[in-house]
Amino acid sequence: MAIVTPYIPTSITVHLGAPSQNAENVTVSFADYIKNVASSEIYPTWEPAAIRANVLAQISFALNRVYTQYYRSRGYDFDITSSTAYDQKFIRGRNIFESVSDIVDDVFDSYIRRQGFVEPLAAKFCNGTTVTCAGMSQWGSQNLAKQGYDSIAILRNYYGNDIELVTDVPLQDPRDSFPGRNMRRGDSGADVLVVQVMLNRISQDYPAIPKIWPTAAVFDANTERAVQKFQQIFGLTPDGIVGKATWYKMVSLYNAVNRLSELVSKGQRFTAVNFRYPGVTGPGSTGQAVSALQYMLSAISEFYDVIPDVAVDGTYGPATQEAVRAFQRAAGLTQDGIAGEQTWIMVYRVFASLENRYLQSQIRFPVATPTAATGEPVDYGLTGRMRQNPGRELGYGQSDDRGEVLV
């Protein structure tokens, strides 16, 4: 998606009815929207921890709708509805409870997400009495608060221990993800790369769409063919041009295949490839460092057929030893099947070179003792035939040093 890390919108547009219902839209400040929702959904006499937990869930759900452009990517001119069948209750002109208002003022620039994921959690909830669901029970949250649970413990009780709280989120005016220009053959830039990544991910579920290789931020003939096929499949004019309608259809499908708007989202992930030599790794070694080595070798094997594929299981067995030995042979290193410092450095550099040119990897490198074995990735290569059509998608989601997610 062409959206970086989530932000708190200064305002949000609410449709006063079901999505397809002929109803009025109202635009209110985001903080006032959350105060209205919380005052409509829960009780002011509840325990502060329960109110805070519910407010954080309501913020996260609303931000998920904004982040994924859930309605706007479907052609609607609003961000969220007031219908509890789809979203959260909003009653125009209602009184706001003071206890709710104080807590919203304290936390409106925070949200919850899964660890390692980018998008705010689609934190669905229900009252827990007349209606039950897979998300949070509102009355259940009150019962937990009475037992001494704090707000985060309540949220983790319902959404899992892998959620985290993001605080001090920047406030800014709402923005449209569409780049504001049609993209066509011959164009280049970050927006083109976003198109390529979205199409490659969508093509995993719609294999008639040809893969774009490499994803080099250049709108070439391969990209044009993939766009045209996408347009044909989804009833758009197959002109190979990414205008607003095609863009938002891609965003909608990308959200759908990644389930970004669902509680069980597959997730937009941050990426950090941060190499530090973990020490000699060889037969009998286990753990995260072995998994990282296996992951990189597996990725490299997709490009060089002299490197056998290896399972990422965290155990340095015979298959891993053979893959390391094959890599060493191709790289001109001592062929002992043991990953010492020089092998680790070269594996990382080849992987980083491929990653820079072709991949948006999801690896978060497990690290141990830092050494001088760091530096800018160089265009290192291996002896052996380069595969032209790697068979496995390696995932998407790349962040820069500020944590901004490109795709």
Side-chain angles (χ1 to χ4, degrees):
M1 288 177 56
I3 301 176
V4 294
T5 48
Y7 61 94
I8 304 296
T10 54
S11 62
I12 187 170
T13 300
V14 187
H15 184 67
L16 301 179
S20 58
Q21 183 180 349
N22 185 16
E24 186 180 355
N25 292 344
V26 295
T27 300
V28 296
S29 76
F30 186 77
D32 286 343
Y33 166 77
I34 295 298
K35 291 177 181 180
N36 188 302
V37 169
S39 296
S40 301
E41 291 275 6
I42 58 178
Y43 292 87
T45 55
W46 280 7
E47 296 292 324
I51 296 176
R52 185 177 292 261
N54 279 270
V55 165
L56 286 170
Q58 292 156 5
I59 290 171
S60 298
F61 184 88
L63 289 182
N64 182 277
R65 288 294 196 241
V66 173
Y67 177 79
T68 61
Q69 302 220 319
Y70 185 83
Y71 288 109
R72 293 191 183 275
S73 67
R74 290 163 168 77
Y76 294 109
D77 58 352
F78 51 83
D79 302 302
I80 200 165
T81 76
S82 65
S83 170
T84 55
Y86 299 90
D87 299 306
Q88 309 178 128
K89 186 184 294 184
F90 176 92
I91 303 172
R92 182 167 60 175
R94 70 150 298 126
N95 293 329
I96 304 302
F97 301 128
E98 184 176 357
S99 58
V100 166
S101 180
D102 289 344
I103 288 176
V104 172
D105 285 340
D106 187 39
V107 302
F108 86 95
D109 60 349
S110 305
Y111 64 88
I112 52 176
R113 70 184 180 200
R114 299 247 179 251
Q115 294 172 5
F117 287 12
V118 178
E119 78 276 8
L121 184 70
K124 297 180 181 180
F125 53 83
C126 53
N127 63 28
T129 54
T130 59
V131 179
T132 59
C133 60
M136 183 169 65
S137 163
Q138 293 169 310
W139 277 103
S141 70
Q142 168 66 352
N143 291 334
L144 291 175
K146 285 183 174 180
Q147 296 173 40
Y149 284 59
D150 64 21
S151 59
I152 297 301
I154 292 171
L155 291 168
R156 285 179 174 155
N157 180 75
Y158 291 108
Y159 300 122
N161 289 326
D162 62 340
I163 64 167
E164 61 186 3
L165 183 65
V166 183
T167 60
D168 299 321
V169 181
L171 181 73
Q172 65 182 64
D173 292 336
R175 60 177 180 236
D176 193 336
S177 74
F178 179 62
R181 64 182 180 97
N182 291 349
M183 285 168 280
R184 65 191 73 217
R185 189 169 179 176
D187 288 342
S188 61
D191 296 327
V192 174
L193 178 61
V194 172
V195 167
Q196 294 171 328
V197 170
M198 285 197 294
L199 284 172
N200 277 346
R201 175 61 188 90
I202 294 167
S203 71
Q204 293 181 39
D205 291 71
Y206 296 88
I209 300 171
K211 288 286 191 297
I212 302 167
W213 196 259
T215 50
V218 175
F219 204 122
D220 56 10
N222 291 334
T223 304
E224 185 178 57
R225 281 192 291 271
V227 170
Q228 287 173 330
K229 192 62 179 180
F230 175 88
Q231 291 168 326
Q232 289 171 2
I233 292 172
F234 295 105
L236 301 166
T237 302
D239 55 10
I241 299 171
V242 180
K244 198 166 188 176
T246 297
W247 173 270
Y248 277 119
K249 190 65 177 178
M250 286 182 188
V251 169
S252 178
L253 265 294
Y254 183 83
N255 288 340
V257 297
N258 280 311
R259 304 175 74 179
L260 297 186
S261 301
E262 300 180 30
L263 187 57
V264 290
S265 167
K266 295 179 181 178
Q268 281 272 51
R269 289 186 176 270
F270 289 106
T271 297
V273 178
N274 181 21
F275 176 69
R276 293 175 183 172
Y277 172 52
V280 175
T281 314
S285 298
T286 60
Q288 291 185 326
V290 176
S291 294
L293 179 66
Q294 291 169 328
Y295 183 95
M296 291 191 292
L297 287 170
S298 179
I300 293 167
S301 76
E302 292 295 326
F303 294 83
Y304 291 94
D305 55 7
V306 296
I307 312 298
D309 191 15
V310 59
V312 183
D313 59 11
T315 299
Y316 203 117
T320 302
Q321 185 176 18
E322 180 53 37
V324 169
R325 187 176 285 115
F327 178 90
Q328 292 168 329
R329 185 182 306 117
L333 302 171
T334 302
Q335 301 170 40
D336 57 9
I338 297 172
E341 185 169 4
Q342 291 306 310
T343 297
W344 267 99
I345 292 172
M346 188 60 77
V347 168
Y348 168 69
R349 285 176 172 171
V350 172
F351 174 85
S353 173
L354 294 172
E355 200 270 348
N356 278 350
R357 284 183 287 165
Y358 305 120
L359 308 177
Q360 283 75 47
S361 161
Q362 290 184 2
I363 188 169
R364 184 174 294 279
F365 220 92
V367 299
T369 307
T371 73
T374 59
E376 293 300 317
V378 207
D379 190 17
Y380 287 84
L382 301 179
T383 59
R385 188 172 65 86
M386 181 78 167
R387 293 185 191 273
Q388 297 302 311
N389 296 295
R392 186 190 323 140
E393 292 300 319
L394 295 173
Y396 307 103
Q398 182 171 335
S399 63
D400 64 15
D401 291 338
R402 296 166 298 172
E404 294 189 345
V405 176
L406 176 63
V407 292

